[in-house]
Amino acid sequence: MYKNKYFYCKSWFTAKKRATELWSEEQARQAHTKNEAYTVLVGNTERPTAVIDITPSTNFVGVTFLDDLQREYLSYNFKILEPNQLFLSMATHREFTKDSDKVDSGSSYIFNLDGKLAIRKQSFNPINLEEFESTIDISDNYEIFPNFGEYDHLLKIER
């Protein structure tokens, strides 16, 4: 049994903080079966705690975590390497100015299959950008492509 409740839609409209075109479970299951794009809302449809975008046509699965104000504070981008395998290619963390949607600072971590890591830390008040490169063990960056309705393993915040 899975601990999270899932709801489905065509996509998540970030700027308006709402789903576009809510779908039935059957509509989403059909999209999944046909390798078509669909979006999973975690928790509920009005104020999800996370949004999962599954887009096989672009070899992409995105997991976005939302805070209490429905702002995207953490996101993970996975590349679909094979029909059943995902690779975490980028992680982004954002901090916001008080209760606004204005991003105060953010850090992006870009992972390559060869173990190279690029880090970009950016702040906006004052404006500052730092970039670093490193090499890391990427063995924890792999995930299994989810079966329909089985997304809990993608919702690990600590990676």
Side-chain angles (χ1 to χ4, degrees):
M1 187 67 191
Y2 297 98
K3 64 179 180 174
N4 291 295
K5 287 191 173 193
Y6 298 115
F7 302 90
Y8 304 95
C9 62
K10 182 177 181 180
S11 62
W12 177 254
F13 194 150
T14 302
K16 293 191 176 185
K17 301 178 184 181
R18 66 177 178 86
T20 61
E21 194 178 317
L22 289 174
W23 285 5
S24 68
E25 185 174 319
E26 187 53 36
Q27 282 176 288
R29 185 183 304 278
Q30 287 179 12
H32 185 91
T33 301
K34 294 177 182 176
N35 280 327
E36 295 175 350
Y38 69 100
T39 297
V40 181
L41 305 174
V42 180
N44 66 61
T45 58
E46 297 299 316
R47 297 185 57 77
T49 57
V51 175
I52 303 169
D53 292 303
I54 299 181
T55 316
S57 64
T58 58
N59 293 322
F60 174 81
V61 172
V63 180
T64 303
F65 296 91
L66 305 174
D67 66 12
D68 291 341
L69 299 176
Q70 298 293 278
R71 301 175 300 189
E72 298 181 352
Y73 75 92
L74 180 63
S75 61
Y76 294 127
N77 294 352
F78 293 91
K79 286 183 185 176
I80 301 172
L81 299 180
E82 297 173 18
N84 206 28
Q85 188 177 52
L86 302 176
F87 176 75
L88 176 63
S89 58
M90 186 165 75
T92 302
H93 179 268
R94 295 173 193 86
E95 293 187 15
F96 298 90
T97 304
K98 298 183 182 172
D99 289 340
S100 78
D101 289 347
K102 184 177 177 184
V103 177
D104 188 51
S105 64
S107 298
S108 292
Y109 302 84
I110 301 159
F111 305 96
N112 289 309
L113 290 166
D114 62 4
K116 290 185 180 167
L117 168 65
I119 302 170
R120 287 184 61 130
K121 294 185 176 209
Q122 191 166 9
S123 57
F124 299 99
N125 191 16
I127 294 176
N128 186 42
L129 174 65
E130 297 176 276
E131 296 181 304
F132 309 94
E133 289 187 3
S134 185
T135 303
I136 63 163
D137 176 4
I138 57 164
S139 58
D140 288 338
N141 286 43
Y142 292 91
E143 281 290 350
I144 295 169
F145 188 86
N147 291 322
F148 183 78
E150 300 177 9
Y151 310 101
D152 283 4
H153 67 286
L154 296 177
L155 296 171
K156 292 185 285 190
I157 290 180
E158 297 296 323
R159 292 198 169 266

